[in-house]
Amino acid sequence: MEAPADAPTTVGPLPEPAAVEPADHQVDALVAELRSASRPVFIAGRGARTPGARDALVELGDLHGALLATSAVARGLFQANAWSLDISGGFASPLAAELITGADLVVGWGCALNMWTTRHGTLIGPGARVVQVDDDPTALGRHRPIDLGVTGDAERTARRAVEADGRRRAGYRTPAVAADLAARGRWRDVPYEDEGTAERIDPRTLNLALDDILPAERVIGVDSGNFMGWPSTFLSVPDQDGFCFTQAFQSIGLGLATAIGAALARPDRLPVAVLGDGGALMGAADLDTVRRLGLPMVVVVHNDDGYGAEVHHFGPDGCALDTVTFPDTDIAAVARGYGFEAVTVRTRGDLDAVAQWVAGARTAPLLIDAKVTRERGAWWLEEAFRGH
């Protein structure tokens, strides 16, 4: 510790890695798979989260009649596209799950096709062929068997495939599928029975209302936990840069810090941090960071008085839950101590205060302490563990 420090070294911007060009025979094999398919589905992942890759995949999808889905980390890539299924995996809507399972060809573009994206493989139909495109050859087939692996950059591979065959086919894009997507393609189109009470709000009602209240130009940082399916499916995003999915080994408490980074990166958008109460209390010190930086942030806390995943999914039957359940915590009062405006939400009517904040000067960040229903675990974890 007492040794002299070396002079700091100035490091300039790192060079962009060169795009990996796919081999001709692999492009030919990919095109042959697309030509043979009647119901193709593309699933784009982190490796396709660029405007260039998106445009190339949309063009290729248009040629072969492919439906367009993403992994969770690439959510928003095909936003507003009429043939978008949104997220594939545990967060998939009932219609998206139905259509992906019905595909006879699934192509992963910069996507690991892991257990979360495929619901332990159950979203891949028994007769479907699987193609994986990735610029890392060691990623091909790492999580599941594939019929064809293509080593190449997602954008370059898609553009090469477009150049190889410009004939347009209907594929999966039938009038019946178009009508289904228009009527029930989004989670907000799926009917549900509101389970809220005078004391606790249904998380579906909460997130649907917030989706309508908050400006569309937003960037959402989602923490990990039992709650995270609700904002990931009911809160829309403008594009792939509007969704930051914090899943570092499923460690909770990182969502607020992620949203702060996103807020600084995109000052043109309203930053929204969506947390569980356990993660919010773990990262509470960063509430001070939000206030000091003057960020006009909305922090939404799904407060069910406990670590929801442990309560509903990870503990054995009959296990004592005293270490994973909390006494009632007034997180709104904690936030006011850090200089936030805050509102406690128990019913839909309580969200009127959020609309007033949005319409106002937004001189202080806003925290929403949403007392959400807690009688059951989230549907997506039930789906995830059903195959285990």
Side-chain angles (χ1 to χ4, degrees), residues 340-351:
F340 277 61
E341 293 184 32
V343 57
T344 299
V345 172
R346 299 181 184 276
T347 68
R348 174 65 180 83
D350 294 331
L351 289 168

Side-chain angles (χ1 to χ4, degrees), residues 2-291:
E2 295 177 355
D6 294 332
T9 301
T10 301
V11 178
L14 296 176
E16 289 288 333
V20 177
E21 196 72 30
D24 290 345
H25 72 278
Q26 291 186 329
V27 174
D28 292 341
L30 170 61
V31 172
E33 293 283 355
L34 291 168
R35 285 174 180 161
S36 300
S38 300
R39 300 180 305 281
V41 169
F42 292 172
I43 303 178
R46 193 187 303 274
R49 284 187 73 255
T50 65
R54 177 198 60 218
D55 294 345
L57 290 175
V58 167
E59 185 175 0
L60 185 62
D62 289 344
L63 284 176
H64 293 279
L67 304 183
L68 308 172
T70 71
S71 65
V73 295
R75 184 175 184 234
L77 187 67
F78 302 119
Q79 178 69 17
N81 188 291
W83 300 104
S84 172
L85 304 178
D86 204 1
I87 299 179
S88 172
F91 296 160
S93 70
L95 178 61
E98 174 188 326
L99 292 171
I100 295 169
T101 306
D104 59 357
L105 174 67
V106 175
V107 185
W109 299 88
C111 176
L113 295 177
N114 59 29
M115 68 174 188
W116 300 107
T117 304
T118 66
R119 285 191 187 173
H120 292 280
T122 61
L123 290 188
I124 308 296
R129 292 183 63 79
V130 179
V131 176
Q132 188 177 4
V133 179
D134 203 290
D135 61 6
D136 177 5
T138 67
L140 301 175
R142 182 182 296 170
H143 293 281
R144 59 158 294 116
I146 59 176
D147 297 292
L148 172 65
V150 178
T151 302
D153 172 77
E155 179 181 354
R156 290 297 308 137
T157 302
R159 294 203 182 282
R160 289 276 302 279
V162 169
E163 294 164 2
D165 184 359
R167 290 174 293 177
R168 190 173 295 271
R169 303 161 53 247
Y172 218 164
R173 300 185 177 187
T174 66
V177 169
D180 279 343
L181 285 172
R184 55 190 182 97
R186 303 172 301 169
W187 267 107
R188 71 178 300 140
D189 301 324
V190 179
Y192 70 94
E193 183 177 347
D194 193 309
E195 298 177 352
T197 67
E199 295 298 319
R200 292 194 171 270
I201 189 169
D202 188 309
R204 294 165 293 187
T205 301
L206 169 70
N207 285 280
L208 279 171
L210 289 174
D211 192 44
D212 293 334
I213 293 170
L214 299 177
E217 284 297 313
R218 63 187 70 153
V219 56
I220 299 173
V222 180
D223 204 350
S224 188
N226 174 73
F227 78 94
M228 68 186 186
W230 307 120
S232 298
T233 53
F234 285 97
L235 292 182
S236 59
V237 293
D239 53 31
Q240 72 277 10
D241 293 331
F243 190 65
C244 298
F245 197 56
T246 310
Q247 298 305 308
F249 302 99
Q250 298 183 1
S251 175
I252 71 172
L254 304 177
L256 182 53
T258 296
I260 291 170
L264 295 174
R266 293 302 304 258
D268 56 319
R269 294 182 174 181
L270 176 71
V272 182
V274 192
L275 323 172
D277 53 329
L281 293 170
M282 282 186 178
D286 274 327
L287 294 173
D288 184 59
T289 306
V290 174
R291 190 68 182 93

Side-chain angles (χ1 to χ4, degrees), residues 341 353-364:
E341 293 184 32
V354 178
Q356 293 170 12
W357 181 90
V358 169
R362 306 184 200 174
T363 54

